[in-house]
């Protein structure tokens, strides 16, 4: 509401202003509500890192539900385990991914194939109550010691983390945060919500660029990134590629 025409998120050639992102996520949230999604429900999200992914996560929260992030590159068996274990009632995905992931008993809503249906919904905000104790998302462990387990994260926990990071290391409307991480990795949570609750710009770096130090360094420079959060492995990739960083860049090193 403070900066409706500022760019909220970009991914490649795609970009949405804060006004457009708010309206688009409201439309998707309303479609989810019509599918029976509401407080206490879980929605699986299997969407590539894109503007549509940001819209999907916000829409689930606006509908009062919690989401289960499912990485599209995971093996089908792991994807299906997460859907079955969480008992997600709806799967938000893309048409081309349906050939890989089995929705089980979940209703399917495709952000691309169902675009016209979603766009027919009003863009006005929903009147859905929420509180700090409400579930925001359920994220699955690696399963390295056995069966992967879903960990429940509540709104209050996300708000505390984001609120703290707005002060340390600090972020504001002039910042550009480069997102390098899948939402299926808990490290990514500030990447999505820290810029969007600070009036900053969220830039989603393509997956292939995050695997090559030279290409990633080029992306960070072209995006004008001022805030990057990554694992030690990614920082080592950049250092090995000869990256020198920037005095204005805020760096957060996440655990692996």
């Amino acid at each position: 509401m403070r900066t409706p025409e500022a760019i909220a998120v970009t991914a490649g050639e795609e970009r949405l202003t804060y006004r457009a992102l708010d309206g688009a996520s409201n439309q998707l949230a309303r479609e989810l509500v019509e599918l029976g999604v509401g407080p206490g429900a879980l929605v699986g999200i299997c969407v590539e890192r894109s503007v549509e992914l940001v819209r999907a996560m916000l829409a689930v929260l606006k509908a009062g539900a919690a989401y289960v992030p499912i990485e599209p590159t995971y093996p089908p068996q792991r994807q299906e385990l997460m859907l079955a274990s969480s008992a997600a009632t709806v799967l938000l995905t893309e048409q081309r991914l349906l050939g890989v992931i089995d929705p089980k008993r979940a209703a399917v809503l495709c952000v691309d194939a169902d675009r016209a249906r979603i766009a027919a919904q009003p863009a006005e905000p929903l009147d859905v109550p929420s509180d700090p104790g409400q579930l925001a998302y359920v994220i699955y462990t690696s399963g390295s010691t056995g069966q992967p387990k879903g960990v429940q994260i509540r709104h209050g926990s996300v708000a505390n983390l984001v609120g703290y990071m707005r002060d340390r290391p600090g972020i504001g409307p002039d910042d550009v945060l480069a997102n390098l991480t899948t939402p299926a990795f808990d490290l990514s949570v500030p990447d999505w919500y820290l810029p969007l609750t600070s009036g900053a710009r969220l830039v989603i770096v393509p997956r292939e660029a995050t695997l090559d130090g030279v290409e990633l360094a080029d992306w960070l420079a072209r995006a004008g990134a001022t805030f990057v959060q990554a694992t030690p492995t990614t920082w080592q990739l950049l250092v090995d590629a000869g990256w020198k960083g920037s005095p204005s860049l805020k760096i957060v090193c996440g655990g692996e």
Side-chain angles (χ1 to χ4, degrees):
M1 292 177 70
R2 288 195 301 268
T3 56
E5 302 311 321
I7 300 298
V9 56
T10 71
E13 298 302 313
E14 290 184 283
R15 57 184 54 207
L16 283 181
T17 64
Y18 274 91
R19 186 196 305 277
L21 178 61
D22 187 40
S25 55
N26 287 341
Q27 289 175 314
L28 182 52
R30 289 181 181 279
E31 187 65 29
L32 288 171
V33 170
E34 288 196 3
L35 289 174
V37 171
L42 291 179
V43 176
I45 298 181
C46 187
V47 176
E48 291 286 358
R49 287 171 57 248
S50 61
V51 169
E52 284 294 348
L53 174 59
V54 179
R55 179 192 185 191
M57 292 190 295
L58 292 177
V60 173
L61 297 179
K62 288 182 174 190
Y67 60 85
V68 181
I70 301 172
E71 170 57 38
T73 61
Y74 281 165
Q77 298 89 337
R78 180 175 172 85
Q79 294 177 336
E80 291 165 19
L81 180 147
M82 294 165 71
L83 268 178
S85 169
S86 65
T89 56
V90 174
L91 172 64
L92 262 176
T93 188
E94 300 169 73
Q95 184 71 36
R96 64 182 185 80
L97 296 176
L98 280 178
V100 179
I101 186 169
D102 181 353
K104 299 297 183 184
R105 296 176 180 172
V108 174
L109 184 61
C110 290
V111 294
D112 47 3
D114 296 317
R115 192 181 305 276
R117 181 172 128 202
I118 297 166
Q121 292 284 358
E124 286 73 33
L126 291 76
D127 184 19
V128 177
S130 64
D131 62 71
Q134 195 168 315
L135 275 186
Y137 62 92
V138 175
I139 197 161
Y140 275 75
T141 61
S142 65
S144 56
T145 59
Q147 190 91 325
K149 299 173 182 63
V151 180
Q152 298 179 327
I153 308 296
R154 303 185 185 279
H155 279 255
S157 299
V158 179
N160 286 340
L161 174 62
V162 170
Y164 180 82
M165 291 185 71
R166 274 202 299 263
D167 294 328
R168 289 183 63 183
I171 190 170
D174 295 329
D175 279 303
V176 176
L177 186 149
N179 169 279
L180 315 180
T181 317
T182 166
F185 187 21
D186 215 30
L187 173 68
S188 74
V189 172
D191 278 6
W192 306 113
Y193 302 119
L194 187 56
L196 296 180
T197 55
S198 306
R201 180 179 302 191
L202 166 61
V203 175
I204 300 174
V205 179
R207 180 186 291 112
E208 57 272 16
T210 67
L211 304 176
D212 182 280
V214 173
E215 192 173 351
L216 178 54
D218 181 59
W219 258 94
L220 296 180
R222 285 189 288 114
T226 63
F227 195 115
V228 183
Q229 179 180 224
T231 63
T233 298
T234 300
W235 292 122
Q236 191 64 54
L237 269 179
L238 285 165
V239 171
D240 291 345
W243 180 73
K244 301 300 183 184
S246 165
S248 62
L249 186 65
K250 299 164 190 172
I251 290 176
V252 178
C253 191
E256 293 191 289

